[in-house]
Amino acid sequence: MGEDLGNLKRSCYCGDVRREQIGEEVTLMGWVNRRRDLGGVVFIDLRDREGIVQVVFNPAFNLQAHQKASALRNEYVIAVKGKVIDRPQGTENPDLKTGQLEVQAGELIILSESNPVPFAIDEEAEVAESLRLKYRYLDLRRAKMQRNLMLRDRAAQSVRSYLHHQGFLEIETPFLTKSTPEGARDYLVPSRVNPGQFYALPQSPQLFKQLLMIAGFDRYFQLVKCFRDEDLRADRQPEFTQIDIEMSFIDREDVYAIMEGMMKKLFQDTLGLSLATPFPRLTYEESMARYGADNPDVRFGLEMTDVSKALGNTTFKVFADTLQRGGIVKALKVQKDFSRKDLDDLNEFSRELGAKGLAWLRVGPEGWPNISGPLAKFMTEEERLALGIALNPGPGEILLFMADSPKAVNDLMGRVRLHLGKKLNLIPPGLFQFVWITDFPLLDYDEAEGRYTAKHHPFTSPMDEDLPLLATDPAQVRAKAYDLVLNGSEVGGGSLRIYRREVQSLLFSKLGIGEAEAKEKFGFLLEALEYGAPPHGGIAFGFDRLVMILAGAESIRDVIAFPKTQKATDPMTEAPSAVDSRQLAELSLRVMVPK
Ligand code: ASP
């Protein structure tokens, strides 16, 4: 049983008690982080969100408080009134903000007791995530999680303040809405009053923000929840937060400049870091060629080179066959002499990723074209010359080669590159390296379905000069789309939008969406485009992922107060769960339980 607070008022946070307050009386409230009973004197580490302060219960100072303190256990909630004093010399704790002082307790109120906790709050020790999520309110008491969520708050404040100063209005858009295509499955909500009909939770506010532009608000933003029913990968969540942005009468350069300003302020406000702007840019094509990915980690070099031409006449069968089938050969030049075992391990690693293998050449101490390794005997003079020009290899360097379809080589060689970046410590610690990826293709060809799909989404504008290609060679059409990549993670993406009805209809038809279907799904947008739509475009950032990077966290679940597991469940509330038959009947639903 706890006592009442009475009219006691907290005077400051535990973690905020300062030396200037020595001699003053303070009233603190918080959780017992740890209790030490040293015979005569009881010490309590008292914790709140701002930190820890040491409280001393000394019978010589107040006998009653001292007696009561012996009942305290970890995680009890208490209020303490006492005097701030200097810590005796030699007992200071340099790890604590309050390490120079302590509070001598004159009065103790036990507000709430606690059961023994299922894991230690005051230690960084690893705890199984399922247990952390079941007792999330306890997990959130831990210092790291408190820091992460406080950082998240600072990040949100920074973004809001920047955007407001840039004239953006925060406008909410509905959650109960119609499906918007961002490429994932929808979460559906049955409508009770419209039996048999469903709302979709928004995968993003894409269409609403475009409608807000048509409505004349010209600069919109929202920190907004989005819902995507995907098979969850490591850093995905079924509901996640976007910084969603849209603006009118702008071009791509405006988007880049405004967003760079936002990132600059965000890093200044949260980490005190001053980012250099403008951020570098790579076209999609360059990024794929040099890094094999559209989310390149440009903190280190180790770029790949396409050597298909240099090896065009190769007699090495694996390469020759691949090239003949329309595949490519790419090479990575590693400035490090690997042992035979290193090379075997690397080959094995690539096979585990799904590659057919890595071939290699070692450059001798005399330099190129003095080479050894299994490929060396296949290299004609002509090829040595061509490879020398393409790769400029130095003495003692290793050349790695992979041959396959362009898609497979880019993906797998890209992953080998990232692996080597880590293994060889090529990534400078503490570096935040942004890069814009621009000029994405408008369309992707879906082999399985035999049709084109939108690479970004179907409202993305093609490049004006590529528009004629839409009829003749759709795969070559580039889009006014861009992504912002940070340290190898895509943190944001957007585009300038189509604002002409006829272009939108043309694109829908290329995507195999007929007039009737377009009307049914996006009729409201098509109609709105006929009532004076301004040129507009925007971007959305994955806020959770950004905060995760700022916090140096391993998982986005560590920067979300109440996340879901990889199986989209919440071990604390036990959602999702069955509902009773009355609720189902009200919604005109019947559950087909799998046999
Ligand atoms: N709605 C898009 C997304 O969520 C972003 C954008 O185009 O602004 O990916």
Side-chain angles (χ1 to χ4, degrees):
M1 273 294 286
E3 300 170 84
D4 278 340
L5 204 49
N7 53 10
L8 214 55
K9 290 272 175 268
R10 176 166 71 180
S11 66
C12 70
Y13 283 113
C14 301
D16 282 348
V17 184
R18 289 288 162 269
R19 288 201 80 182
E20 294 72 61
Q21 288 168 279
I22 284 184
E24 285 176 21
E25 177 153 284
V26 289
T27 304
L28 306 174
M29 297 176 195
W31 284 259
V32 174
N33 196 53
R34 200 180 285 193
R35 166 179 155 272
R36 274 156 292 145
D37 198 334
L38 300 188
V41 183
V42 175
F43 290 95
I44 296 290
D45 284 345
L46 191 60
R47 187 192 71 232
D48 62 22
R49 67 176 222 202
E50 298 300 329
I52 283 176
V53 71
Q54 177 164 286
V55 181
V56 207
F57 294 87
N58 189 335
F61 187 71
N62 188 307
L63 188 61
Q64 202 194 354
H66 174 261
Q67 273 171 352
K68 221 167 155 184
S70 65
L72 295 179
R73 295 293 176 269
N74 283 0
E75 301 310 311
Y76 276 30
V77 184
I78 61 172
V80 170
K81 208 167 171 172
K83 198 163 122 196
V84 184
I85 58 173
D86 257 324
R87 282 208 197 185
Q89 253 195 351
T91 66
E92 298 93 344
N93 180 353
D95 295 338
L96 284 185
K97 276 193 292 179
T98 60
Q100 302 289 324
L101 52 85
E102 58 194 15
V103 173
Q104 190 159 51
E107 188 181 339
L108 167 65
I109 298 180
I110 301 178
L111 295 165
S112 206
E113 295 176 357
S114 168
N115 290 338
V117 282
F119 49 83
I121 308 290
D122 65 335
E123 284 167 21
E124 296 276 316
E126 280 290 316
V127 179
E129 200 176 19
S130 52
L131 193 64
R132 289 175 54 200
L133 290 179
K134 180 163 166 55
Y135 294 97
R136 187 60 159 178
Y137 46 91
L138 297 179
D139 184 42
L140 289 175
R141 283 186 196 164
R142 303 170 97 198
K144 189 179 87 180
M145 298 304 287
Q146 296 256 314
R147 267 198 310 274
N148 287 355
L149 290 192
M150 283 158 83
L151 178 78
R152 186 179 174 114
D153 167 71
R154 276 209 306 287
Q157 290 300 320
S158 169
V159 164
R160 284 205 162 92
S161 124
Y162 175 81
L163 291 172
H164 275 300
H165 277 98
Q166 296 287 327
F168 286 81
L169 304 170
E170 184 162 17
I171 303 176
E172 287 154 277
T173 51
F175 278 176
L176 295 177
T177 178
K178 217 174 151 103
S179 175
T180 48
E182 300 284 359
R185 226 172 275 115
D186 285 322
Y187 278 101
L188 297 176
V189 180
S191 166
R192 179 183 56 82
V193 289
N194 301 285
Q197 301 197 346
F198 295 83
Y199 304 97
L201 299 180
Q203 294 188 30
S204 87
Q206 184 58 37
L207 293 177
F208 287 104
K209 67 176 175 174
Q210 292 192 235
L211 292 167
L212 287 170
M213 294 305 107
I214 297 174
F217 288 105
D218 93 82
R219 284 189 167 203
Y220 142 95
F221 87 98
Q222 191 179 185
L223 262 83
V224 64
K225 276 287 179 75
C226 301
F227 306 85
R228 297 184 191 176
D229 187 0
E230 297 176 288
D231 293 324
L232 303 185
R233 281 189 265 133
D235 57 355
R236 294 271 169 103
Q237 281 282 304
E239 51 177 311
F240 61 96
T241 306
Q242 278 191 348
I243 310 171
D244 193 42
I245 290 169
E246 196 76 5
M247 40 195 146
S248 298
F249 311 116
I250 43 100
D251 59 20
R252 275 168 286 167
E253 292 301 327
D254 297 307
V255 177
Y256 302 152
I258 295 172
M259 293 304 108
E260 285 170 3
M262 185 176 93
M263 287 300 160
K264 211 174 162 75
K265 179 165 161 58
L266 176 62
F267 275 71
Q268 187 66 54
D269 290 351
T270 52
L271 301 183
L273 281 181
S274 165
L275 293 181
T277 49
F279 298 153
R281 297 179 198 171
L282 283 172
T283 63
Y284 173 83
E285 211 180 307
E286 256 182 293
S287 180
M288 293 307 286
R290 288 164 55 185
Y291 302 96
D294 59 7
N295 59 343
D297 191 336
V298 294
R299 284 176 298 176
F300 64 101
L302 205 66
E303 296 182 14
M304 52 183 79
T305 309
D306 191 329
V307 291
S308 313
K309 271 217 183 80
L311 298 176
N313 295 320
T314 182
T315 54
F316 181 53
K317 195 165 169 355
V318 177
F319 288 180
D321 288 351
T322 306
L323 291 172
Q324 219 207 335
R325 282 198 307 268
I328 56 169
V329 184
K330 274 189 161 183
L332 277 183
K333 180 174 78 170
V334 186
Q335 272 142 357
K336 170 125 178 110
D337 193 4
F338 282 142
S339 68
R340 188 59 197 252
K341 167 141 192 345
D342 291 335
L343 288 161
D344 287 346
D345 289 349
L346 206 55
N347 190 28
E348 194 43 45
F349 173 79
S350 79
R351 283 171 177 278
E352 275 163 23
L353 294 178
K356 295 189 182 115
L358 276 174
W360 56 271
L361 281 176
R362 172 180 283 126
V363 187
E366 300 88 347
W368 194 262
N370 176 276
I371 46 176
S372 61
L375 271 183
K377 63 173 182 286
F378 295 99
M379 294 290 149
T380 62
E381 193 128 340
E382 196 188 322
E383 282 163 351
R384 288 179 198 230
L385 192 68
L387 275 187
I389 293 169
L391 298 169
N392 192 25
E397 290 179 345
I398 298 279
L399 304 181
L400 301 169
F401 298 87
M402 193 186 281
D404 210 324
S405 69
K407 198 165 175 267
V409 172
N410 282 332
D411 177 35
L412 300 166
M413 200 65 156
R415 283 151 76 180
V416 169
R417 173 182 176 269
L418 290 178
H419 172 74
L420 286 174
K422 281 196 198 110
K423 193 174 141 92
L424 302 176
N425 286 323
L426 301 179
I427 303 173
L431 181 66
F432 293 96
Q433 187 61 63
F434 281 97
V435 57
W436 287 105
I437 309 300
T438 68
D439 300 14
F440 277 84
L442 182 72
L443 304 169
D444 260 339
Y445 191 70
D446 186 327
E447 299 279 347
E449 297 205 9
R451 63 180 186 96
Y452 286 103
T453 58
K455 183 145 185 92
H456 187 49
H457 52 55
F459 317 106
T460 295
S461 171
M463 296 239 192
D464 304 330
E465 61 271 33
D466 290 358
L467 209 51
L469 288 174
L470 211 46
T472 54
D473 194 357
Q476 293 308 315
V477 178
R478 289 164 306 159
K480 295 180 185 171
Y482 33 74
D483 274 358
L484 187 60
V485 172
L486 167 57
N487 292 357
S489 276
E490 183 212 316
V491 291
S495 59
L496 299 195
R497 324 298 184 190
I498 295 168
Y499 66 99
R500 297 209 168 92
R501 163 75 151 103
E502 65 283 5
V503 181
Q504 188 64 74
S505 294
L506 179 64
L507 189 59
F508 280 155
S509 74
K510 277 288 148 208
L511 295 171
I513 305 175
E515 268 297 313
E517 189 186 350
K519 259 221 169 86
E520 204 260 314
K521 284 189 170 150
F522 314 115
F524 60 102
L525 176 77
L526 291 173
E527 195 175 9
L529 288 175
E530 290 179 351
Y531 284 96
H536 61 284
I539 191 164
F541 295 92
F543 186 59
D544 311 285
R545 200 176 298 182
L546 259 178
V547 177
M548 173 183 106
I549 296 174
L550 290 170
E554 297 274 302
S555 146
I556 58 168
R557 296 187 296 281
D558 281 352
V559 297
I560 297 173
F562 298 103
K564 304 274 189 299
T565 62
Q566 302 280 86
K567 281 204 160 147
T569 63
D570 175 3
M572 184 181 69
T573 62
E574 294 180 341
S577 52
V579 293
D580 67 42
S581 51
R582 202 175 33 116
Q583 267 178 307
L584 287 175
E586 269 176 358
L587 294 168
S588 317
L589 291 180
R590 198 167 346 147
V591 174
M592 293 158 66
V593 184
K595 287 202 179 93

